[in-house]
Protein backbone atom coordinates (compact mmCIF):
# COMPACT_ATOMS: atom_id res chain seq x y z
CA UNK A 1 0.00 0.00 0.00
CA UNK A 2 1.45 3.34 -1.07
CA UNK A 3 1.10 6.49 0.97
CA UNK A 4 0.03 9.41 -1.19
CA UNK A 5 2.57 11.88 0.17
CA UNK A 6 2.14 15.63 0.32
CA UNK A 7 -1.30 16.78 -0.81
CA UNK A 8 -0.20 19.35 -3.38
CA UNK A 9 -1.99 18.72 -6.67
CA UNK A 10 -5.70 17.91 -6.20
CA UNK A 11 -8.10 17.79 -9.14
CA UNK A 12 -11.42 19.70 -8.96
CA UNK A 13 -13.77 19.72 -11.94
CA UNK A 14 -17.20 21.34 -12.34
CA UNK A 15 -19.78 20.09 -14.87
CA UNK A 16 -17.20 18.06 -16.76
CA UNK A 17 -15.78 21.17 -18.38
CA UNK A 18 -14.37 23.66 -15.87
CA UNK A 19 -11.12 22.76 -14.17
CA UNK A 20 -10.51 24.91 -11.08
CA UNK A 21 -7.70 22.73 -9.73
CA UNK A 22 -5.06 25.45 -9.97
CA UNK A 23 -7.05 27.69 -7.60
CA UNK A 24 -7.77 25.08 -4.87
CA UNK A 25 -6.14 25.93 -1.54
CA UNK A 26 -7.82 23.18 0.52
CA UNK A 27 -10.33 20.44 -0.15
CA UNK A 28 -12.16 17.83 1.92
CA UNK A 29 -14.79 15.23 1.12
CA UNK A 30 -17.26 14.29 3.85
CA UNK A 31 -19.12 10.97 3.49
CA UNK A 32 -21.63 9.55 5.97
CA UNK A 33 -24.69 7.38 6.49
CA UNK A 34 -27.69 8.19 8.65
CA UNK A 35 -28.05 6.07 11.78
CA UNK A 36 -31.58 4.73 12.20
CA UNK A 37 -32.68 3.52 15.61
CA UNK A 38 -34.10 0.01 15.27
CA UNK A 39 -34.30 -0.68 19.00
CA UNK A 40 -37.25 -2.89 19.98
CA UNK A 41 -38.53 -4.69 23.03
CA UNK A 42 -36.06 -7.33 24.16
CA UNK A 43 -32.93 -5.39 23.11
CA UNK A 44 -30.46 -4.83 25.95
CA UNK A 45 -29.00 -1.77 24.23
CA UNK A 46 -29.66 0.55 21.35
CA UNK A 47 -29.81 -1.16 17.97
CA UNK A 48 -28.96 0.77 14.83
CA UNK A 49 -29.14 0.20 11.10
CA UNK A 50 -27.63 2.30 8.36
CA UNK A 51 -29.90 4.70 6.51
CA UNK A 52 -29.38 6.88 3.48
CA UNK A 53 -25.87 8.00 2.66
CA UNK A 54 -24.91 11.66 2.44
CA UNK A 55 -21.89 13.58 1.20
CA UNK A 56 -20.48 17.05 0.93
CA UNK A 57 -17.33 18.71 -0.33
CA UNK A 58 -15.67 21.72 1.29
CA UNK A 59 -13.30 23.70 -0.91
CA UNK A 60 -11.35 26.87 -0.29
CA UNK A 61 -10.16 28.61 -3.43
CA UNK A 62 -7.63 31.36 -3.94
CA UNK A 63 -10.13 33.82 -5.41
CA UNK A 64 -9.93 34.79 -9.07
CA UNK A 65 -12.57 37.12 -10.55
CA UNK A 66 -11.52 36.72 -14.20
CA UNK A 67 -13.96 35.14 -16.64
CA UNK A 68 -14.30 31.35 -16.48
CA UNK A 69 -12.42 31.15 -13.20
CA UNK A 70 -13.51 30.83 -9.55
CA UNK A 71 -16.12 33.59 -9.19
CA UNK A 72 -17.26 33.39 -12.82
CA UNK A 73 -17.96 29.68 -12.38
CA UNK A 74 -19.14 29.38 -8.78
CA UNK A 75 -21.33 32.50 -8.38
CA UNK A 76 -23.82 31.36 -11.03
CA UNK A 77 -24.00 27.82 -9.60
CA UNK A 78 -25.13 28.76 -6.07
CA UNK A 79 -28.50 27.10 -5.48
CA UNK A 80 -28.38 25.00 -8.64
CA UNK A 81 -27.25 21.43 -9.25
CA UNK A 82 -24.05 20.58 -11.09
CA UNK A 83 -21.71 17.62 -11.51
CA UNK A 84 -18.49 17.61 -9.48
CA UNK A 85 -15.40 15.44 -9.74
CA UNK A 86 -12.51 15.36 -7.27
CA UNK A 87 -9.26 13.35 -7.32
CA UNK A 88 -6.32 13.38 -4.89
CA UNK A 89 -3.90 14.08 -7.76
CA UNK A 90 -4.47 16.02 -10.97
CA UNK A 91 -3.86 12.99 -13.19
CA UNK A 92 -5.94 10.19 -14.70
CA UNK A 93 -7.90 8.18 -12.16
CA UNK A 94 -6.40 4.86 -11.11
CA UNK A 95 -6.40 2.46 -8.18
CA UNK A 96 -4.07 4.81 -6.31
CA UNK A 97 -5.80 7.99 -7.59
CA UNK A 98 -9.56 7.37 -7.30
CA UNK A 99 -12.16 9.72 -8.71
CA UNK A 100 -15.07 10.86 -6.52
CA UNK A 101 -18.09 12.17 -8.45
CA UNK A 102 -21.62 13.28 -7.70
CA UNK A 103 -24.39 15.74 -8.43
CA UNK A 104 -24.38 18.47 -5.82
CA UNK A 105 -25.67 21.90 -4.96
CA UNK A 106 -23.52 24.75 -3.73
CA UNK A 107 -25.16 25.58 -0.43
CA UNK A 108 -22.70 28.29 0.60
CA UNK A 109 -20.26 30.51 -1.25
CA UNK A 110 -18.22 33.27 0.33
CA UNK A 111 -16.86 35.36 -2.57
CA UNK A 112 -14.43 37.26 -0.35
CA UNK A 113 -12.76 36.09 2.84
CA UNK A 114 -9.45 37.14 4.27
CA UNK A 115 -7.45 39.27 6.61
CA UNK A 116 -5.09 42.12 5.92
CA UNK A 117 -2.06 40.89 4.03
CA UNK A 118 -3.53 37.48 3.17
CA UNK A 119 -4.60 36.05 -0.17
CA UNK A 120 -8.29 36.55 -0.88
CA UNK A 121 -10.01 33.22 -0.17
CA UNK A 122 -13.32 31.96 -1.52
CA UNK A 123 -14.73 29.00 0.47
CA UNK A 124 -17.65 26.92 -0.82
CA UNK A 125 -19.73 24.02 0.50
CA UNK A 126 -21.22 21.52 -1.94
CA UNK A 127 -23.90 19.12 -0.69
CA UNK A 128 -25.13 15.98 -2.44
CA UNK A 129 -28.39 16.68 -4.28
CA UNK A 130 -31.20 15.00 -6.20
CA UNK A 131 -30.61 11.75 -4.33
CA UNK A 132 -27.21 11.48 -6.00
CA UNK A 133 -24.80 9.06 -4.41
CA UNK A 134 -21.13 9.88 -4.20
CA UNK A 135 -19.41 7.43 -6.50
CA UNK A 136 -15.83 6.27 -6.27
CA UNK A 137 -14.06 4.84 -9.28
CA UNK A 138 -10.50 4.09 -10.29
Amino acid sequence: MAILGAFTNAFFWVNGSTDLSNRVKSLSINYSAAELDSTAMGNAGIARVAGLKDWSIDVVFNQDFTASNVDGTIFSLVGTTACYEVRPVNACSSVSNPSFTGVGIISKYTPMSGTVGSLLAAPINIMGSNGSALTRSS
Side-chain angles (χ1 to χ4, degrees), residues 57-105:
I57 300 171
D58 295 309
V59 184
V60 177
F61 294 103
N62 288 323
Q63 183 59 286
D64 188 335
F65 290 105
T66 59
S68 300
N69 222 302
V70 176
D71 188 69
T73 301
I74 301 300
F75 189 86
S76 63
L77 290 176
V78 173
T80 64
T81 58
C83 298
Y84 296 92
E85 181 177 354
V86 175
R87 289 183 231 136
V89 178
N90 194 343
C92 294
S93 62
S94 66
V95 172
S96 61
N97 190 37
S99 173
F100 296 88
T101 59
V103 175
I105 185 168

Side-chain angles (χ1 to χ4, degrees), residues 26-138:
S26 68
L27 183 144
S28 61
I29 299 173
N30 311 292
Y31 189 54
S32 63
E35 298 174 19
L36 305 177
D37 186 337
S38 61
T39 308
M41 295 294 172
N43 288 127
I46 296 173
R48 293 182 181 89
V49 296
L52 296 173
K53 293 180 181 173
D54 194 13
W55 62 272
S56 66
I57 300 171
D58 295 309
V59 184
V60 177
F61 294 103
N62 288 323
Q63 183 59 286
D64 188 335
F65 290 105
T66 59
S68 300
N69 222 302
V70 176
D71 188 69
T73 301
I74 301 300
F75 189 86
S76 63
L77 290 176
V78 173
T80 64
T81 58
C83 298
Y84 296 92
E85 181 177 354
V86 175
R87 289 183 231 136
V89 178
N90 194 343
C92 294
S93 62
S94 66
V95 172
S96 61
N97 190 37
S99 173
F100 296 88
T101 59
V103 175
I105 185 168
I106 296 176
S107 63
K108 185 175 182 181
Y109 170 49
T110 306
M112 294 189 295
S113 175
T115 59
V116 67
S118 68
L119 288 177
L120 188 59
I124 67 169
N125 174 261
I126 303 162
M127 299 181 72
S129 182
N130 292 349
S132 171
L134 181 68
T135 59
R136 182 187 184 280
S137 56
S138 51

Side-chain angles (χ1 to χ4, degrees), residues 10 12 19-25 61-62 64 69-70 90:
F12 183 85
D19 184 352
L20 296 176
S21 303
N22 66 347
R23 296 294 186 261
V24 172
K25 183 167 182 71
F61 294 103
N62 288 323
D64 188 335
N69 222 302
V70 176
N90 194 343

